[in-house]
Amino acid sequence: MNLSSPKPHSFSFSFSTSISQNPIQFPTNKTITPQKTLHIYALTTNPLPPNSPQRLLKELEQHKNKTHSPNKKTPPRTTILKPPLRNKNLINSPQLTLSTFPLLSSCLPHAPLKTTDSAWMETHLLEVKQALGYPLQPFDEMLGEEDNPAKQFDTLLYLAFQHPTCRGKGRHVRSAHSRLFFLGQYVIELALGEFFLQRYPREAVGPMRERVFGLVGKHRLPKWIKNASLHGLVFPNVDMDKLVRKEREQIAKSVFWALFGAIYLCFGMPEVYRILFEVFGMDPDAEECQPRLRKQLEDIDHVSAEFEGKLSWQDMVAYKPPADALFAHPRLFRACIPPGMHRFRGNVWDYDSRPRVMQILGYPLEMTDRIPEITEARNVELGLGLQLCFLHPSNYKFDHPRFCYERLEYLGQKIADLVMAERLLMKHLDAPGYWLQEKHRRTLMNRYCGMYLRAKQLHRFIIYSDKVRSSYERSHRLRNPATVSVQQALHGLSYAVYGKRDVRRLMFEVFDVEQIQPKRNIYVKRQSHS
């Protein structure tokens, strides 16, 4: 085969950005058939050298334009606060009009009510007031210029009935209803918790939780709504009994909790008891509300004389502690701390651990009592309460069922939930209730509550039984639930002795529960260089 030619030929190689056919033509005497044509495929190459600055800048620009995590899921809309209110709109909103009642002000809608809202109030508000036993006259006109939170009751009562399934309601109305809904659930839990703690001073915590669930569980709420003749407003133009159980219970729960949030903000806890037991007709002694039968340890210690008979809700409302009482809630303190705790005075923990625990928690608080003996007695009772908070059930519970922190823990859970809910409402003025609910749950998660206590090194003072001490100190699966219980019991004791203000001090100043994780002492070990 002769590959030479009288005329020189120039070989043309074509390169493109995509794969293309670039045949190389060889001059030959024979005609090459198309089936035997030679094909060469070529790709583009970067003409820039590897270490060229232009090449590095080009690669950096391409890297920025790429999506780093294409499979990453976007967060759900319930966890996103958008659009938040602007500072100008927030300052001019009705939420900041009541400077003397910041919690009440935070539950008002962040925009003025519209004409459709006023029309609903004119049409249905009289029916609601009549069912609840309130005067039909508007509260703002009845109270005049008096500085009273009840002046906003008409607005809050309207918001309580605007459940999420109502159509045509503005964002400010839906958000305000969800905030009342968020607050009301913890108000009901605390009210019934205090009631059953004092009504059954010898009962364990488990039966009390079942009693509360039997009264205000979501399966019971439609019945209470119907007993108060409010089902026509909650389920307009719909037969409540024909709805699906899930829809009926969800709507009834939303209105029921929001209603008690509004009542608590305007009239306080005594009015909550009246609405629960008088308007809705709840019966704590009803057969369907009784807990299941279980073995109960014998309570050998006597209780106070005021607990001999079953307390009624009228006793809860009419009770006023004497002027020289030792505690903010003396009857609640007696219901949680057994009188036999005085036998532990002067033991090793009382002399060795109690002063250090009181120093960490900032006790005793300065109180001005008329009689110096009252202050001394208060400190003694506070010390016994602190010892009970750190008394693990493995030690003396089988000798006496109340020689453990279970009742204080139950009370502490309820008051901590309410205090944290009030804090979040005043801190996040433009947040809907469902977002606040998620933040509340994550802040007071059990594993974090135990970490708050361990960060203050208070877990070292827990009194375990000698049989289980080594296992609890070695296993975090056993130790961590115990630290959570002690943390909640401290909140219950501070509420029974000093009131809600001391619970706020413990949560936000001593333990600082608003942080995601407690502060830890990080020790950096120096590495010796050889």
Side-chain angles (χ1 to χ4, degrees), residues 200 207 210-211 214 283-292 310:
Y200 304 100
E210 295 179 9
R211 292 179 188 275
D283 184 13
D285 296 326
E287 184 178 356
E288 59 270 15
C289 300
Q290 300 305 312
R292 62 182 179 88
K310 287 186 178 180

Side-chain angles (χ1 to χ4, degrees), residues 482-503:
T483 56
V484 173
S485 301
V486 173
Q487 170 82 11
Q488 301 290 2
L490 290 175
H491 295 158
L493 177 67
S494 64
Y495 175 64
V497 175
Y498 293 108
K500 191 189 296 185
R501 63 181 181 88
D502 190 51
V503 181

